[in-house]
Amino acid sequence: MAKQIVARQQGDDYQARWFWLQACALLDNFSKVERVVHEDGELKSFDDVAVYYRHGHTDEKGIPLDAVFYQVKFHVTSAGALTAESLCDPTFIGATTCSLLQRMKNAHDHCCADRINHRLVLYTPWSIHPDDQLAEIHSLSDGSIRWDTLATGGERSKLGKLRKRWRGHLDLHSDDELRQVLANVRIKRGPTLDDLARTLNCRLEAKGLKPVEENSLVHPYDDLTRKMLGANMNELTAKSLLEICDREGLLARTPTRPENLTSLGIRSFLRWAEDLQNQTQSLICLSHHFSGHEIKNRDDWNTEIPNSLASFVRQHIV
């Protein structure tokens, strides 16, 4: 029983720290984040953490994006891995009837009905099993499901059987319906609980909030998250975040925004830089030229990349 309590507590802490890490984006100098919600009642299928953006926000590919919904799944040990079949298994997420894949479809249908341009992100420290089909179709660039790979082969091929399995599990009638659901799904591997705390500390300190002493037995942001949920205060804006942290003694200084300064961002890879557009006034994304840290076409160093950078910089020279 004690081990179960500890496991659940650590899972709650992991989710709380991810919530605060997203909430720090509210204080970024050029943030497009409007509000961050913990246990979002508007989307019960994928509700752990929700990030809502101001009108006009786009993702790294220029596609309109209104919100990102995170399902945060923590595991105490590494004794397991994500597989294509585990996404169909309700017990994999501690449920009895609704699997993770079904939750993705339910959330997708809800967002489409409300005309919300969305992303659904499974965030977990577990990795995808390297020998499983899911590894073959999962992109390490942005965490998406590579439909161009999944769509290859007929019904009797390995990937064709996977498409059929997922279609049947979701009660879909065509590959195109499956493609539409999966297009908004991202699977991202998170750090350990301690590493997440260290990353959060860096963001807290940068935004004028008090970091947590390393090896401290009490994590005030974990505790504050539970108290906020108990008081039905699960939503933060930039204003309410500062007010709550000030009241709880967690405000080290008032964040200031630079004046007469243009902040530009250049992104060549997505991992840990997905939110760079919220930290800069203008951004150019060159990630499509790279596979991980390796450039896809070496000739681009002398043609496409410098030409794109030169054009981007000229646009912002006053």
Side-chain angles (χ1 to χ4, degrees), residues 144-205:
S144 63
I145 302 298
R146 299 174 58 189
W147 181 257
D148 57 338
T149 301
L150 179 57
T152 57
E155 286 286 303
R156 295 184 179 181
S157 68
K158 289 178 62 177
L159 291 175
K161 291 178 180 178
L162 177 58
R163 295 196 304 272
K164 183 178 180 180
R165 168 71 172 116
W166 281 0
R167 286 199 317 267
H169 183 67
L170 297 178
D171 196 23
L172 300 175
H173 302 291
S174 69
D175 277 353
D176 190 58
E177 288 180 308
L178 179 62
R179 178 191 60 80
Q180 291 179 45
V181 172
L182 296 179
N184 295 302
V185 171
R186 302 290 185 269
I187 301 175
K188 299 192 176 184
R189 186 179 183 185
T192 65
L193 182 62
D194 285 347
D195 285 343
L196 184 57
R198 294 187 185 96
T199 300
L200 175 59
N201 256 358
C202 292
R203 288 287 278 156
L204 292 170
E205 190 169 18

Side-chain angles (χ1 to χ4, degrees), residues 19-313:
F19 165 71
W20 279 100
L21 189 61
Q22 302 311 302
C24 283
L26 291 163
L27 305 179
D28 284 337
N29 291 329
F30 306 101
S31 180
K32 282 83 172 178
V33 178
E34 187 171 45
R35 56 195 178 97
V36 178
V37 186
H38 188 212
E39 302 287 354
D40 189 0
E42 293 298 316
L43 195 71
K44 295 181 180 180
S45 297
F46 235 75
D47 61 351
D48 286 345
V49 178
V51 179
Y52 291 90
Y53 298 95
R54 292 184 176 84
H55 179 72
H57 176 64
T58 62
D59 67 5
E60 66 277 358
K61 297 180 180 178
I63 300 173
L65 184 60
D66 301 319
V68 177
F69 300 99
Y70 293 93
Q71 196 72 14
V72 182
K73 291 300 177 185
F74 178 75
H75 299 274
V76 176
T77 72
S78 295
L82 293 171
T83 65
E85 185 58 33
S86 67
L87 297 182
C88 301
D89 182 5
T91 62
F92 183 74
I93 54 174
T96 56
T97 57
C98 193
S99 70
L100 190 54
L101 201 58
Q102 288 170 327
R103 288 193 178 196
M104 291 173 178
K105 180 183 180 297
N106 292 340
H108 169 80
D109 291 345
H110 176 92
C111 289
C112 289
D114 287 353
R115 296 183 178 181
I116 300 173
N117 298 311
H118 63 284
R119 295 289 178 274
L120 305 171
V121 181
L122 170 61
Y123 191 77
T124 175
W126 266 12
S127 62
I128 295 174
H129 196 292
D131 298 328
D132 189 75
Q133 285 181 298
L134 185 58
E136 185 179 348
I137 62 175
H138 177 251
S139 170
L140 285 180
S141 294
D142 60 359
S144 63
I145 302 298
R146 299 174 58 189
W147 181 257
D148 57 338
T149 301
L150 179 57
T152 57
E155 286 286 303
R156 295 184 179 181
S157 68
K158 289 178 62 177
L159 291 175
K161 291 178 180 178
L162 177 58
R163 295 196 304 272
K164 183 178 180 180
R165 168 71 172 116
W166 281 0
R167 286 199 317 267
H169 183 67
L170 297 178
D171 196 23
L172 300 175
H173 302 291
S174 69
D175 277 353
D176 190 58
E177 288 180 308
L178 179 62
R179 178 191 60 80
Q180 291 179 45
V181 172
L182 296 179
N184 295 302
V185 171
R186 302 290 185 269
I187 301 175
K188 299 192 176 184
R189 186 179 183 185
T192 65
L193 182 62
D194 285 347
D195 285 343
L196 184 57
R198 294 187 185 96
T199 300
L200 175 59
N201 256 358
C202 292
R203 288 287 278 156
L204 292 170
E205 190 169 18
K207 296 302 148 191
L209 305 178
K210 287 185 178 180
V212 181
E213 287 189 25
E214 200 164 344
N215 299 321
S216 175
L217 289 177
V218 178
H219 196 292
Y221 295 91
D222 293 346
D223 294 339
L224 180 55
T225 304
R226 285 186 280 273
K227 291 176 182 177
M228 288 170 59
L229 285 174
N232 293 319
M233 298 169 58
N234 64 326
E235 178 176 314
L236 289 177
T237 63
K239 183 174 182 292
S240 64
L241 184 155
L242 292 175
E243 289 175 347
I244 290 173
C245 288
D246 188 24
R247 186 170 66 243
E248 298 298 321
L250 296 173
L251 188 62
R253 58 178 173 79
T254 302
T256 57
R257 299 180 184 272
E259 298 180 0
N260 301 321
L261 176 68
T262 300
S263 177
L264 304 180
I266 300 173
R267 179 168 56 196
S268 60
F269 60 90
L270 293 178
R271 182 161 182 162
W272 305 117
E274 297 97 333
D275 199 47
L276 190 59
Q277 62 266 31
N278 289 320
Q279 304 172 45
T280 57
Q281 192 168 353
S282 187
L283 170 71
I284 181 172
C285 184
L286 302 172
S287 62
H288 58 284
H289 289 290
F290 297 86
S291 177
H293 291 285
E294 297 293 328
I295 192 165
K296 294 178 180 178
N297 183 355
R298 291 190 176 276
D299 291 339
D300 288 349
W301 281 124
N302 300 316
T303 54
E304 295 291 332
I305 292 177
N307 291 340
S308 297
L309 286 174
S311 176
F312 174 70
V313 172

